[in-house]
Amino acid sequence: MRLWSVHPRFYDRQALTACWREGLLAQAVIADPSRRGYANHPQLQRFRAAQDPLATIGDYLSSVVDEADARGYRFAREKILRTGPVERIPVARGQLEYEWGHLLRKLQVRTPAAWERWHSLPLPDPHPLFVVEDGPIADWERVG
């Protein structure tokens, strides 16, 4: 599961659709904690720590579907169970840098035109749910 901290405008088609599917799975797990599967996935920690986890993952998904709409894709917005208002979640600069490098490597292989467009950008904007703070890669990240 990858719930990117990077703004959805930087995703290629594969990352956007995967993030939508995985975000819906995260929403299902947050809505029903007894669900099996990804119930203990470390990336869910930052959503579960929010005051309203279901609205927080809903706001996350809303930005993903907004980007899909802008590209002419048809994601089912009605699958979002609840939205905010919610507080923005801090993301460490080190985490955003790590994810940006990870995404750029994927873009270079899958979508060279997107890589060419974005590779010289030192740090992307974060997903609208997140606010960047100083700090290292998150403890929950699986660094490969």
Side-chain angles (χ1 to χ4, degrees):
M1 177 183 290
R2 170 63 59 186
L3 299 173
W4 296 99
S5 304
V6 174
H7 196 289
R9 77 169 157 270
F10 299 107
Y11 307 170
D12 61 354
R13 179 184 50 81
Q14 295 92 324
L16 189 65
T17 56
C19 190
W20 174 246
R21 285 191 319 268
E22 292 166 3
L24 289 174
L25 175 59
Q27 177 183 249
V29 170
I30 289 169
D32 180 5
S34 67
R35 279 182 69 101
R36 291 181 174 208
Y38 289 101
N40 296 316
H41 197 284
Q43 284 210 23
L44 295 179
Q45 290 175 14
R46 58 188 176 170
F47 294 94
R48 285 193 172 126
Q51 188 172 11
D52 186 345
L54 194 56
T56 302
I57 192 68
D59 276 16
Y60 180 89
L61 286 166
S62 290
S63 292
V64 174
V65 80
D66 288 347
E67 180 62 26
D69 288 348
R71 295 184 193 190
Y73 301 156
R74 301 270 184 233
F75 289 9
R77 186 180 294 271
E78 65 274 8
K79 290 186 177 185
I80 299 172
L81 299 178
R82 183 164 67 224
T83 58
V86 298
E87 292 184 24
R88 293 175 72 192
I89 298 173
V91 61
R93 184 173 310 282
Q95 179 64 33
L96 191 60
E97 288 170 346
Y98 175 78
E99 289 184 31
W100 184 230
H102 185 60
L103 180 59
L104 284 174
R105 286 187 296 279
K106 288 180 175 288
L107 293 176
Q108 189 172 20
V109 172
R110 292 190 310 224
T111 317
W115 179 83
E116 188 62 39
R117 181 177 183 190
W118 301 120
H119 80 277
S120 62
L121 185 65
L123 191 67
D125 293 331
H127 182 289
L129 180 64
F130 300 109
V131 59
V132 180
E133 296 182 349
D134 287 333
I137 296 172
D139 292 342
W140 49 258
E141 182 64 72
R142 294 182 182 158
V143 179

